[in-house]
Amino acid sequence: MIVALAGGVGGAKLADGLYAELPANSLTVVVNTADDFTLHGLHISPDLDTVMYTLAGVANPETGWGVDKDTFSGLDMLGRYGAPDWFRLGDRDLVTHILRSTALREGSSLTEVTARLGQALGIQAALLPMCDEQVQTIVQTPDGELGFQEYFVHRQCRDQVLGVHFEGLEQASLSDAVRSAISQCEAVIICPSNPIVSVGPILGVPGLRECLLNARVPVIAVSPIIAGQAVKGPAARMLEGLGKQVSVVGVAAEYKELAPVLVIDEDDRDLAGEVAAAGSTPVVAPILMKTPEDRRSLARRVLDIVREVRINNGMSVEDQDSRAEMHA
Ligand code: GDP
Ligand code: CA
């Protein structure tokens, strides 16, 4: 089993490629929930939904988030009532939030309700929230502190980022589901998600880093930064605002304690030496995913790297097979 750590749109693309390349029920995606928030009394988990809709094959291919061909009658009505309508909620998407919120109110954990929703959509992979407790990303800007969706969606990332913190993260705990997935997996893939606000909170769940290091499995990260820029979203500006290097070298520095392999784009080949000096083993590959085939070929490449690392780490093919059987 392979564990992927993912945020929303960027992470979902590689998770989708892995899902297509791996046998059924051999992928677990641990998803950031620090973006979760409550709106109209509903618990919204943007990153979980993006990954869920993507793996279920119902994501909007243009935006990468939301449900394909969704309608917005509910949102129009919210607007007529004068309710906030800056967060785009489609009619089908709303149903997910209604069901999730109801289940949470009735006492289910986020882990349980996420599993039920994913199964109902026919997903043959495990989707796990990074934790069951509520965590909130807060962005410090010159105008004060903003909730993540306020910064990201309402104000469209226009504010300068002075700092980021995650309320509730220190009180959160590793769920049994995440712990057992990591301790039983063959490798962990850090998807090309925002290192600060998507992967950062996942790695910050108390006990997760330790669990990952104890698992002694290959950790392979794919850079979300190509040629000094984010493919989409505020990752580059966030790294810059936080005084970090806006390049694959900065990404390597974020993940270095996990000593992962960092897959970087061909455009960043000349930075391979600096990535190695920052503590990650660089592998150069095309990492821009524009088409479904791009997702699959990057996933194949990443799975090849997993095999190579396992062989170099001295795990014989028999070890790998017996381990795979053990956890099948
Ligand atoms: P969000 O929660 O929807 O913002 O999604 P993520 O955090 O998962 O993904 C955002 C990150 O994905 C950004 O930093 C992008 O640069 C990165 N990203 C998006 N598409 C691609 C791609 O095709 N290749 C790579 N390498 N990174 C990508
Ligand atoms: Ca997100």
Side-chain angles (χ1 to χ4, degrees):
M1 196 253 298
I2 300 286
V3 169
L5 310 183
V9 174
K13 289 202 255 177
L14 182 58
D16 195 37
L18 292 166
Y19 183 51
E21 287 298 320
L22 288 165
N25 301 309
S26 338
L27 175 68
T28 296
V29 193
V30 176
V31 182
N32 171 44
T33 55
D35 293 6
D36 287 21
F37 71 124
T38 303
L39 188 64
H40 316 302
L42 300 174
H43 182 112
I44 302 179
S45 299
D47 288 357
L48 273 175
D49 289 339
T50 295
V51 176
M52 181 172 79
Y53 297 149
T54 302
L55 296 196
V58 301
N60 179 334
E62 263 119 63
T63 54
W65 51 265
V67 179
D68 194 20
K69 302 193 175 70
D70 211 346
T71 50
F72 290 86
S73 310
L75 192 74
D76 290 345
M77 196 63 182
L78 279 166
R80 283 187 65 183
Y81 281 123
D85 58 0
W86 53 267
F87 194 84
R88 305 281 301 159
L89 291 169
D91 299 327
R92 292 182 176 87
D93 191 23
L94 263 172
V95 174
T96 307
H97 313 316
I98 291 170
L99 292 177
R100 173 188 296 120
S101 307
T102 306
L104 290 173
R105 252 195 320 274
E106 287 170 353
S108 291
S109 68
L110 188 58
T111 299
E112 288 162 351
V113 60
T114 302
R116 265 183 265 147
L117 293 171
Q119 275 157 19
L121 293 182
I123 298 175
Q124 295 185 309
L127 292 191
L128 300 177
M130 66 185 200
C131 64
D132 281 318
E133 296 83 356
Q134 274 204 359
V135 176
Q136 251 193 306
T137 300
I138 305 290
V139 182
Q140 285 116 260
T141 74
D143 279 357
E145 296 198 333
L146 302 174
F148 185 70
Q149 301 305 337
E150 177 70 19
Y151 159 79
F152 190 68
V153 180
H154 201 185
R155 296 165 69 106
Q156 301 184 330
C157 312
R158 74 175 106 89
D159 301 86
Q160 191 194 342
V161 177
L162 304 174
V164 172
H165 66 272
F166 307 102
E167 265 173 33
L169 189 57
E170 279 166 29
Q171 292 78 45
S173 53
L174 202 56
S175 65
D176 291 343
V178 172
R179 183 188 303 280
S180 89
I182 292 178
S183 36
Q184 297 181 4
C185 72
E186 290 156 64
V188 173
I189 316 295
I190 303 181
C191 290
S193 288
N194 187 315
I196 308 295
V197 291
S198 292
V199 181
I202 303 177
L203 297 179
V205 173
L208 192 135
R209 263 174 201 273
E210 210 185 355
C211 180
L212 224 138
L213 292 170
N214 285 341
R216 294 180 193 284
V217 291
V219 178
I220 319 276
V222 176
S223 176
I225 300 287
I226 298 178
Q229 290 182 331
V231 178
K232 193 185 142 285
R237 268 167 296 138
M238 281 191 161
L239 286 167
E240 190 184 9
L242 301 178
K244 297 171 189 271
Q245 206 167 325
V246 190
S247 72
V248 290
V249 183
V251 177
E254 286 303 295
Y255 299 148
K256 72 161 185 267
E257 277 138 42
L258 302 169
V261 173
L262 182 66
V263 188
I264 62 175
D265 199 70
E266 281 150 344
D267 280 357
D268 289 311
R269 187 182 289 277
D270 54 339
L271 291 174
E274 281 183 61
V275 168
S280 289
T281 307
V283 173
V284 178
I287 60 167
L288 183 63
M289 295 169 280
K290 286 192 176 158
T291 65
E293 182 43 37
D294 293 344
R295 298 175 183 190
R296 294 186 69 145
S297 60
L298 181 54
R300 280 197 298 275
R301 188 63 206 272
V302 167
L303 293 171
D304 282 344
I305 299 168
V306 167
R307 263 170 239 125
E308 283 159 32
V309 174
R310 288 174 70 88
I311 289 166
N312 291 343
N313 284 357
M315 288 191 93
S316 69
V317 175
E318 289 82 67
D319 279 347
Q320 294 179 34
D321 285 349
S322 60
R323 202 176 152 95
E325 269 163 36
M326 220 160 70
H327 299 301

